[in-house]
Structures are given as C-alpha cells and as structure tokens.
Amino acid sequence: MQDGATVAGTRVVLVTGATGAIGQAIARQIAAHPRFKVILACRDEAKAERAVKQIVTVTGNRSVRYEVVDVSRRSSVESLAVRWQGPLHVLVNNAAVTPRRRQETPEGIELQLATNVLGYFWMIRAFSEHLKRSTPARVVNVASYWAGDLDLTDLEFRRRPYGNNAAYRQSKQADRMLTVAFAERLQSSGVAVNACHPGDVRSTLSGNLGFGGSQTPDEGARTPAWLAVDPIGGNVTGRYFEDLNEVACPFGANRAAVEELYRTCMGF
Ligand SMILES: NC(=O)c1ccc[n+]([C@@H]2O[C@H](COP(=O)([O-])OP(=O)(O)OC[C@H]3O[C@@H](n4cnc5c(N)ncnc54)[C@H](OP(=O)(O)O)[C@@H]3O)[C@@H](O)[C@H]2O)c1
C-alpha cells in the first residue's frame, strides 16, 4: 500500500494492465516525470515485479510499485479500492483481453465484457471517492478506433455467435460510451474522464485479433501517457483522442444508448 504522506505536488497514478505492451510503456512514460508516483495494477505478481524493476531502472524514479488486482472480478477491484490509502490523481484504465474462444469469469460473465468494459466501469466506480478527494483528478480510458457494432441486447454474446474481433470492437465502443457517461457524472466533482486510441502495437491482445502492429509500445503509449500528465487531460472531459488530437466520437452522441449501457453495467 502506498505511503499515506504524499509530498506536495506529487501526483499518484494507477495504471491497469501495466505488464502488457502498451500499459508498461504508459507507466514508464509517466514515471519519467519525477513528480509522478506510479502504481502498476496487475494480475500476475512475478510479471509486475519485473515491470517495476524495468521502469525504475530506465527512469530512475523509485516511486514505482505494484498492486495485484484482477479487473475482471468486481470483488478484486473493490478490495483494491478498500485497501488503497492516500490520494489518487490519475487512473489509467488499460487492461484488456481478446480470447479467441468465448470464456467466462468464475461469476459467469463473458470475459471481454468483464475485463474490457466492466473492468473499466468497476475501477472508476470503486476509485471515484479517492479521485474526488484528490481533485483535480482524471481518468484515461484506453479504448480504440477499432470499435463498433455494440448490441445492448446481447452484450455477452449469448445470442450471437462469439467472435473475438466482434466482442473486442463492441467492448471498445462501450469504453468510449462509458467515458461520456462518467464524464458527466464526475464533472462537478473535478474529475475529468477522457478516452483515446493508443497506437497499433504488436501484443498478446493484437496477436489474438490477427494484427501485427506497426508501432512500438512507446509510440502506442504516447497519447494515453500525454492525457495522464498534460494539462489537456484535466482541462476537457468526455472527449476522445487519437494521436494527440481530439477526434469527434459518434458513440457518445447516442444519449439513450449511453445511459442504457451505464444502467446495464450497474447490474453486474
Ligand atoms: N495493441 C494494439 O494495437 C491496440 C490498439 C488499440 C487499442 N489497444 C488497447 O490498448 C490496451 C492495451 O493493449 P495491449 O496491446 O498492450 O495488450 P497486452 O499487451 O495484451 O496487455 C494487456 C494487459 O492487460 C492485463 N490484463 C488482462 N486481463 C486482466 C485482468 N483480468 N486483470 C488485470 N490485468 C489484466 C494483462 O496482464 P497479463 O500480463 O497478466 O496478461 C496485460 O498487462 C487495451 O485496452 C487495448 O484495447 C491496443
């Protein structure tokens, strides 16, 4: 657990999926700023230890550590939030999966929905009081331009045949819609919520989708890390970014669908 005492001006950042290609690069780029304390939220302790060592060695920032969490399980997310001490200024939701066959969590939730959508949703809900106490604060949702065809009547692919590409595109549309829902709910508390496409990077996730990825992890991490540290990520809310630029997002415009998705997520 982090130290209760945080030096004035220090910003505390939590990055999920920070053992992965883009997540580790996001954490490293943020840790390159000495006033940032970075906590890697990871499910695999051995990988997390290696990632922390690598980031400390490369950046010289010793305020880097990890917490173990399985974001696909609400109880695990809530237990991390309960044991969290001190401020949280920035939450970067990044952890995601793309299994080729349909899988379910022990709670019986389809795994892409549980990890890529509910994982983001539960993290924001569980940490919102910490964020509100640490304002100005912000959330960065790592989404994708590869998004669409969300079916609110079949979020778990119970009726439709499961395809990992279809489930992934749906999940990334949902991340962008929930960004708008949370931005509206948290704006008056001083918490900004924005989404972005990172980059096209070779990773476990992109490999499962059959994509090679033409950018390095550091290139892919540029936009999310920028939203985490630059004033822009706190000055606007409910927006979607690609390659350091705001891009109009059609998914947030359908207010009824955004609210229905939010309500549905509340039910899990
Ligand atoms: N790669 C691309 O080209 C691309 C393009 C657009 C958007 N994105 C987005 O970028 C983000 C990162 O993707 P990536 O390509 O870096 O994927 P990746 O290398 O496969 O990394 C995924 C990360 O998520 C973690 N994770 C998965 N399930 C988890 C769980 N239940 N609890 C905690 N952590 C969990 C993984 O942990 P383990 O290390 O333990 O497996 C890993 O750290 C995703 O949100 C993705 O949608 C990626």
Side-chain angles (χ1 to χ4, degrees):
M1 205 64 310
Q2 75 197 61
D3 315 333
T6 301
V7 180
T10 300
R11 307 277 293 161
V12 180
V13 187
L14 182 59
V15 182
T16 71
T19 53
I22 294 170
Q24 186 166 338
I26 294 171
R28 190 172 56 242
Q29 287 183 19
I30 298 171
H33 299 262
R35 75 187 182 97
F36 282 81
K37 274 186 166 189
V38 183
I39 296 98
L40 282 49
C42 308
R43 60 179 169 178
D44 181 322
E45 200 155 6
K47 278 192 193 174
E49 273 172 16
R50 284 199 297 276
V52 167
K53 267 194 198 139
Q54 196 267 355
I55 293 170
V56 170
T57 304
V58 171
T59 63
N61 184 341
R62 302 193 65 77
S63 298
V64 180
R65 55 178 195 82
Y66 69 86
E67 286 287 339
V68 174
V69 64
D70 178 346
V71 300
S72 71
R73 305 192 69 180
R74 184 176 173 172
S75 56
S76 178
V77 168
E78 289 178 349
S79 128
L80 175 60
V82 166
R83 63 182 195 268
W84 189 266
Q85 286 169 14
L88 178 65
H89 302 100
V90 187
L91 166 63
V92 181
N93 275 318
N94 162 81
V97 288
T98 47
R100 292 180 187 205
R101 295 221 174 121
R102 189 181 182 284
Q103 289 178 34
E104 291 185 354
T105 65
E107 291 75 22
I109 306 172
E110 187 278 315
L111 193 60
Q112 289 210 51
L113 180 73
T115 311
N116 308 5
V117 181
L118 295 170
Y120 286 34
F121 184 87
W122 290 327
M123 285 294 292
I124 299 173
R125 298 251 324 152
F127 279 94
S128 56
E129 290 310 312
H130 296 290
L131 290 162
K132 285 180 193 171
R133 276 199 298 274
S134 316
T135 54
R138 60 181 79 175
V139 176
V140 179
N141 287 327
V142 180
S144 182
Y145 60 55
W146 193 240
D149 294 328
L150 178 132
D151 185 343
L152 279 163
T153 68
D154 188 30
L155 285 176
E156 295 189 76
F157 287 84
R158 294 188 187 279
R159 193 187 69 241
R160 293 173 291 170
Y162 176 85
N164 68 341
N165 184 49
Y168 179 70
R169 290 182 67 245
Q170 166 173 279
S171 75
K172 292 291 130 177
Q173 175 176 345
D175 289 342
R176 289 165 60 174
M177 292 166 72
L178 290 173
T179 297
V180 173
F182 277 112
E184 286 176 356
R185 284 165 172 81
L186 293 172
Q187 185 159 27
S188 61
S189 314
V191 182
V193 186
N194 292 293
C196 67
H197 172 73
D200 294 325
V201 175
R202 182 184 295 271
S203 69
T204 304
L205 179 144
S206 61
N208 278 340
L209 295 171
F211 288 113
S214 58
Q215 293 177 283
T216 64
D218 268 322
E219 287 166 344
R222 220 157 62 100
T223 300
W226 169 73
L227 285 173
V229 304
D230 191 273
I232 184 85
N235 289 344
V236 297
T237 194
R239 313 291 176 87
Y240 170 69
F241 293 83
E242 292 178 4
D243 204 14
L244 308 187
N245 287 303
E246 188 183 334
V247 173
C249 174
F251 304 127
N254 186 341
R255 309 296 317 137
V258 166
E259 288 310 309
E260 191 179 338
L261 176 64
Y262 188 92
R263 272 196 307 277
T264 306
C265 290
M266 284 291 284
F268 282 94

